[in-house]
Every structure is written in structure tokens, then in C-alpha cells.
Amino acid sequence: MLNLILIVVLICLLTIGLVFLIDKFLPQKVKPILVLAFGLLSIFLGYKIYKSINAPIEFNKVRQERFSEVITKLKDIRDAQEAYKTVNGKYADNFNSLIQFIDTGSYTITTQRDSSFMRYDKVYQIELQQDTIIIDTLGQVKVKDSLFGADDSYKSMMNVPYGQNDEKFEMKADIIDKSGYKAPVFEAKVKKDVVLYDQPADLLARENAHQSVEEVNGTEIKVGSLTDVSTNGNWPPIYDRKNN
């Protein structure tokens, strides 16, 4: 912004100086031509200054709108993956399996309650009360009804919003070793360049270099991890508030 102010001041000083020189040294018949030329030049420079000021504002508006839609889809993918893991003990490694699971899968609904019973103790030779937990199966509910209701948008959850060439989210699943425990993990992501393909290159480069708790850091928007046991996304809380 400081550089922009200096440029504006410099242009103003040059304009005043040129007007003075024209008025003092050039013939009267040449002055209207130069006045017209300077008028056109002023309009052009004014437009360039406006664009330089307005471009970051428009970029931020486009970025927030597009990132919000991308993150909404990543959340749907995460919800579907967590349901898949609940039933299958691992995450789906492709969208076809995940969508088929949503179409046909079901949860078993259970409830648990505390209970107790008397058992003869051979040591004390008396009956002692034993505490236990009783788990009752109440029924089943379809995954689709639980997560999406009547909405069929999950069938296109692999498609990246605003993708220029029908790009898909990249999704992988794996089993990793964490201190001797075999932990299922997954990750779904898309590069920012795909979502912001039509934005100015300098602003896009700055976006890809972000490292801040208030921004989506790095070159990708993603959820989950293939190296850590986490289903978090790399977006700041502001996007969660917007979608809520």
C-alpha cells in the first residue's frame, strides 16, 4: 500500500511538472493535443491504480466463497468416512466404495444400561453382587438417512467445486503404525490452484505461501492425514462458523 501511495504522489508531481512545461514552452496550437493525451493517460493510470487496489479485495471475496464450498464437501467426505470406519473398521480408499456404502450401509443402534447380579464367591463362600453393563440392540438406521437425509449430493462429493476441467478430490486411505497400534487413516485434498485457476498469478502465489492460524495454510485444502491419526481439516475456524 505504501508503494502505491508513493506511485500516486509521483504521478501527481510529474503531471504538475509537465503541465507547467507545456504551458510555458510549447506553442498554443499543440497544447490541446497534449491535454487530450494527458487526459487519456490519466484515465489509464487511474484505471491501473483502481485495479491494483481492488484486485486483492476481489480475490479475497472469490477465495472465501470458493473455499467455503470446497470445505463443505470435504466435511461431507469426512462424515461419510467416519461412518464407513464405524461399520468396517477402516476407511474407504476410493469414492465408489464410499458412495456405495452410503447407498446401502446401515448403523446398528444400541443402548447400554448398568445392571448387577449375585454370584457365589468360592473364597468368601457367600453370594456377592457383581456389576455389569447390558447392551441392547434397538435396531438399524440407514447411513444415507443419518448423514444426508433426502439429499443426493453425496453422489458427487468427489467433484471439486469450481474445477475448470471436472477435477476430483484426491483421496487415499491407509493403516499406519502408531506406537504399536495399527490405526486407520485417510486424507482427501485438492490444490488451491485448481479452485482459484482464474485468479491473478501474484495473488495466487501469495495465497499458496500462507502460514497463519487465520488462513488455509499451504498449497492445498485438505481433511485428514496419512501420517497422523487425525480427521481435522487445515482450514481456520471461520469456515466452520460460516457453514454452521
Side-chain angles (χ1 to χ4, degrees), residues 218-232:
T219 61
E220 300 169 328
I221 314 171
K222 63 182 181 178
V223 65
S225 171
L226 294 177
T227 57
D228 294 312
V229 184
S230 171
T231 58
N232 293 332

Side-chain angles (χ1 to χ4, degrees), residues 48-240:
K48 297 296 287 184
I49 292 172
Y50 168 79
K51 289 290 290 183
S52 65
I53 295 175
N54 194 60
I57 298 173
E58 287 299 317
F59 177 83
N60 288 336
K61 181 180 178 181
V62 169
R63 177 190 61 182
Q64 291 181 7
E65 179 181 347
R66 295 185 185 182
F67 280 15
S68 291
E69 292 197 31
V70 169
I71 289 168
T72 295
K73 281 212 168 185
L74 288 173
K75 289 178 180 179
D76 286 343
I77 293 171
R78 176 174 61 191
D79 291 344
Q81 282 282 31
E82 289 178 339
Y84 188 97
K85 176 177 174 287
T86 298
V87 175
N88 297 286
K90 62 180 181 179
Y91 293 111
D93 60 2
N94 63 80
F95 282 106
N96 288 337
S97 297
L98 193 57
I99 292 171
Q100 183 180 10
F101 168 74
I102 296 171
D103 280 330
T104 61
S106 298
Y107 289 115
T108 299
I109 304 175
T110 62
T111 184
Q112 64 180 36
R113 52 192 172 86
D114 295 331
S115 184
S116 62
F117 62 93
M118 303 300 292
R119 172 182 289 174
Y120 181 77
D121 190 290
K122 293 181 179 180
V123 176
Y124 294 101
Q125 297 185 351
I126 60 173
E127 288 192 341
L128 297 177
Q129 179 174 301
Q130 304 292 319
D131 295 326
T132 187
I133 295 177
I134 297 176
I135 299 177
D136 297 319
T137 300
L138 301 181
Q140 291 188 325
V141 61
K142 290 184 177 180
V143 173
K144 178 182 180 300
D145 294 338
S146 176
L147 295 182
F148 300 101
D151 186 3
D152 287 339
S153 62
Y154 67 91
K155 293 182 178 180
S156 62
M157 66 169 61
M158 76 292 291
N159 297 331
V160 177
Y162 301 99
Q164 186 181 19
N165 299 306
D166 296 325
E167 286 89 352
K168 314 295 183 187
F169 287 104
E170 180 184 346
M171 187 175 74
K172 294 180 180 180
D174 200 359
I175 304 291
I176 63 173
D177 188 302
K178 283 293 182 181
S179 302
Y181 169 69
K182 299 298 183 182
V185 293
F186 86 96
E187 182 179 80
K189 62 184 180 180
V190 63
K191 289 187 176 298
K192 292 178 179 178
D193 292 9
V194 172
V195 182
L196 301 173
Y197 67 92
D198 57 350
Q199 296 303 296
D202 59 329
L203 296 178
L204 184 54
R206 188 184 307 169
E207 173 65 32
N208 284 328
H210 272 318
Q211 291 296 328
S212 168
V213 295
E214 298 179 353
E215 304 289 349
V216 179
N217 292 328
T219 61
E220 300 169 328
I221 314 171
K222 63 182 181 178
V223 65
S225 171
L226 294 177
T227 57
D228 294 312
V229 184
S230 171
T231 58
N232 293 332
N234 69 330
W235 53 82
I238 186 174
Y239 288 99
D240 293 321

